[in-house]
Amino acid sequence: MRKEKSKFILLLFSVVDILLLIASFLLAKHLVFEGKIPHFVYYSSLILGWCIFWVLICLKYDLYEIPRILFSYKVLAKNVYALITFTFLSAGAIFFLTDYKFSRLFFTYSMLFFSFFVLLWRLFAFAKVKSYRKTGHSPSRILLVGMNENIATLINKIYLNPKYGFQIVGLYTDAIVSQGLESYYKGKLSEITTFLENNSVDEFIISLPYQQSKLINDLFRFADNNMMRVSVIPEFSEYLSQSFSIYYIENIPIMKLRSEPLKSLTNRILKRIFDVVFSLLIVILLFSWLFPIIALIIKFTSKGPVFFVQERTGKDDKAFKCFKFRSMTVNSVSDQLQATKNDARVTSFGAFMRKTSIDELPQVFNVLLNNMSLVGPRPHMLKHTAEYRVLVDKFMVRHFAKPGVTGWAQINGFRGETKYIKDMENRAAADIWYIENWSFFLDVKIVCSTAWSMFFKKDENAF
């Protein structure tokens, strides 16, 4: 039954996607050609190729798979990635495989409309799936084997949350069952085989110590012979303080303690394209006229250079020269002391620039020089890096990525003066989360949030 529903979802999503692609094609045709395309055969071949190509990309990236534990922003990020891939590969195919000159405006409109429609459709579909599961339809029947802190956390946050659509059919453990879980308790570990022989489950979740290896392997064997799926929560994860993943070399499991999406060459190229394109737009549309105005105001209101250049810690702990508009009077301690509230060194215009983050704009040149990114952990003075690497646990992990003009920590309020060690711990934790959870969609969100804050939100930590 579940297999048939999966086929139905695959068919539904692919048909809706194709209809949206055709609608985008027709809308672009109406806007660019006023309803009549210049060459019917070429453009008809184009839309046919697009439909086939898009479905293949969706199958490649598993875009028609709706996970049981559904986080919309992660699935949307996958769709954005697929849409960008679709756009670039389509443009490349048109350029290399045909001599016919398709309208670039038509192509741009088609891709923009299609991207908007697809993301809107995905959001609607995810909301409907969550609602459907929340009402108890098509639950995943799970059996829990073992009881520890991890199992208890999953029960409370996931398995008992109706939006994920799980149904606990039993809990077997030799440990004491906490109050509230008695209704799921079916017996001790030695009694589990009898239950499985008389009941059907979709999956069982095992979290047992290695001393129970015989029982674990017996359960694996039973699951394989009865078409049941098994997930294992390693018991050592209960005392491991960070997330990890496991991969295999010659069937030997190797544990990796940190996920780093930006180790992928494809992701780095995608991030770099975004950095360069967006930075060039800032230089052309904003910097070209704003720079002379800011430069003149800085020169007229205080003595000293327009730019403030300071060595800061970059990716892999390598120093680089970071550019800013000068917001302070020239002083001998700028490489030692960070700005504080009501800092006497800050000029009157400098205070305005720091409040609106305009002083950071020259860092788009650092982005174009490839020693910074638009989004990433904010770079610190060399002195502060030397201090905090000793005082803050895992502080240096944030240097696995290129520093950013803005970042996840900044839009979450962890910016400005760090009076206490806890302030820097919070900032480092946010930066590490960004490194481990990077996506193109997340970068776009951070840039948009930063732009909104610059114009419409007063930040009490900016001084």
Side-chain angles (χ1 to χ4, degrees):
M1 184 68 179
R2 192 156 284 143
K3 196 170 184 180
E4 291 176 2
K5 287 183 179 177
S6 296
K7 288 181 179 178
F8 172 75
I9 290 174
L10 170 62
L11 180 62
L12 174 66
F13 269 69
S14 56
V15 168
V16 173
D17 280 1
I18 289 172
L19 291 175
L20 292 176
L21 185 51
I22 293 172
S24 303
F25 177 91
L26 295 174
L27 188 56
K29 182 185 77 168
H30 177 75
L31 290 175
V32 177
F33 304 123
E34 296 183 351
K36 188 175 181 180
I37 53 177
H39 199 297
F40 179 78
V41 174
Y42 279 116
Y43 279 88
S44 297
S45 301
L46 179 65
I47 185 60
L48 178 61
W50 273 352
C51 290
I52 297 171
F53 189 36
W54 173 248
V55 172
L56 290 175
I57 285 180
C58 288
L59 295 174
K60 165 69 176 174
Y61 290 112
D62 291 326
L63 298 187
Y64 297 147
E65 294 292 328
I66 303 180
R68 179 68 57 173
I69 302 175
L70 177 61
F71 295 106
S72 297
Y73 76 94
K74 288 188 177 181
V75 184
L76 279 178
K78 281 179 64 177
N79 279 273
V80 169
Y81 187 88
L83 285 164
I84 292 172
T85 303
F86 175 64
T87 301
F88 278 98
L89 290 182
S90 295
I94 290 171
F95 181 80
F96 289 109
L97 300 181
T98 178
D99 293 329
Y100 183 77
K101 302 298 182 184
F102 287 95
S103 166
R104 284 175 289 184
L105 185 60
F106 169 83
F107 179 85
T108 303
Y109 276 158
S110 296
M111 292 298 106
L112 288 175
F113 288 141
F114 181 56
S115 298
F116 175 74
F117 291 151
V118 163
L119 295 178
L120 204 61
W121 153 238
R122 292 293 191 268
L123 284 172
F124 171 78
F126 299 154
K128 295 301 289 184
V129 167
K130 284 183 178 180
S131 176
Y132 180 77
R133 288 173 176 170
K134 199 170 184 178
T135 55
H137 290 89
S138 187
S140 176
R141 292 165 50 83
I142 60 169
L143 178 70
L144 303 175
V145 183
M147 173 51 67
N148 52 41
E149 188 177 333
N150 284 329
I151 287 284
T153 300
L154 285 174
I155 290 173
N156 292 324
K157 293 188 175 181
I158 303 295
Y159 299 138
L160 292 182
N161 190 330
K163 72 177 181 180
Y164 296 121
F166 288 101
Q167 179 186 350
I168 301 173
V169 297
L171 167 62
Y172 281 84
T173 179
D174 291 341
I176 298 172
V177 178
S178 61
Q179 195 173 22
L181 298 179
E182 298 95 334
S183 60
Y184 303 107
Y185 177 71
K186 299 295 183 182
K188 295 187 177 298
L189 294 173
S190 58
E191 304 171 45
I192 191 172
T193 305
T194 304
F195 178 86
L196 288 171
E197 288 172 348
N198 296 288
N199 294 273
S200 174
V201 300
D202 297 316
E203 181 178 9
F204 33 92
I205 317 295
I206 303 173
S207 187
L208 295 172
Y210 72 92
Q211 292 91 340
Q212 295 284 0
S213 57
K214 183 181 183 307
L215 174 61
I216 294 171
N217 282 293
D218 287 344
L219 291 173
F220 287 168
R221 197 175 301 110
F222 185 92
D224 289 341
N225 290 327
N226 291 275
M227 295 182 64
M228 297 177 184
R229 289 179 170 81
V230 181
S231 295
V232 177
I233 305 171
E235 194 171 69
F236 61 77
S237 66
E238 191 170 351
Y239 53 79
L240 199 65
S241 61
Q242 64 190 76
S243 61
F244 62 89
S245 59
I246 295 176
Y247 64 100
Y248 289 83
I249 299 178
E250 295 291 334
N251 290 326
I252 299 172
I254 299 175
M255 186 170 67
K256 185 179 179 183
L257 291 182
R258 182 164 284 105
S259 169
E260 291 182 70
L262 286 173
K263 287 195 76 174
S264 161
L265 177 62
T266 305
N267 288 342
R268 291 202 303 273
I269 291 173
L270 180 61
K271 185 174 176 65
R272 183 61 185 155
I273 290 172
F274 178 64
D275 283 347
V276 171
V277 171
F278 201 89
S279 296
L280 287 174
L281 286 174
I282 292 174
V283 170
I284 295 168
L285 301 177
L286 186 65
F287 224 61
S288 55
W289 60 270
L290 187 60
F291 168 71
I293 297 172
I294 293 175
L296 287 172
I297 296 175
I298 291 173
K299 276 295 188 183
F300 283 135
T301 56
S302 64
K303 294 180 179 179
V306 170
F307 291 110
F308 172 66
V309 182
Q310 184 181 60
E311 281 206 330
R312 296 198 175 184
T313 310
K315 186 176 183 292
D316 298 326
D317 201 22
K318 295 176 182 176
F320 72 98
K321 294 187 184 298
C322 181
F323 305 131
K324 294 181 69 174
F325 281 126
R326 183 176 57 82
S327 59
M328 292 183 175
T329 56
V330 177
N331 64 91
S332 59
V333 292
S334 57
D335 290 334
Q336 306 295 320
L337 298 177
Q338 64 180 165
T340 58
K341 195 168 186 177
N342 301 319
D343 198 316
R345 296 174 297 167
V346 178
T347 65
S348 55
F349 183 62
F352 167 76
M353 287 196 295
R354 297 176 79 92
K355 280 285 184 185
T356 56
S357 298
I358 289 175
D359 61 320
E360 311 285 0
L361 279 178
Q363 286 163 31
V364 295
F365 294 117
N366 285 116
V367 175
L368 294 172
L369 290 170
N370 203 26
N371 45 37
M372 285 184 72
S373 175
L374 281 173
V375 182
R378 287 291 298 152
H380 290 288
M381 293 186 290
L382 303 186
K383 178 179 180 292
H384 282 168
T385 301
E387 290 175 354
Y388 287 119
R389 71 189 305 162
V390 177
L391 298 172
V392 176
D393 188 35
K394 302 178 185 177
F395 178 78
M396 295 307 292
V397 172
R398 63 196 300 278
H399 299 96
F400 282 160
K402 276 191 290 188
V405 180
T406 184
W408 183 247
Q410 281 61 49
I411 69 168
N412 283 282
F414 304 125
R415 60 169 295 184
E417 183 184 8
T418 49
K419 289 183 179 180
Y420 309 105
I421 298 298
K422 188 66 178 176
D423 297 332
M424 188 57 76
E425 288 175 348
N426 291 334
R427 184 181 297 181
D431 289 334
I432 293 170
W433 183 92
Y434 168 79
I435 291 170
E436 295 178 345
N437 294 273
W438 177 89
S439 70
F440 176 78
F441 190 69
L442 181 61
D443 270 8
V444 173
K445 174 183 176 179
I446 292 171
V447 168
C448 291
S449 180
T450 301
W452 175 268
S453 297
M454 285 177 67
F455 296 105
F456 303 108
K457 186 178 177 183
K458 184 179 179 181
D459 192 339
E460 297 297 334
N461 294 320
F463 43 79

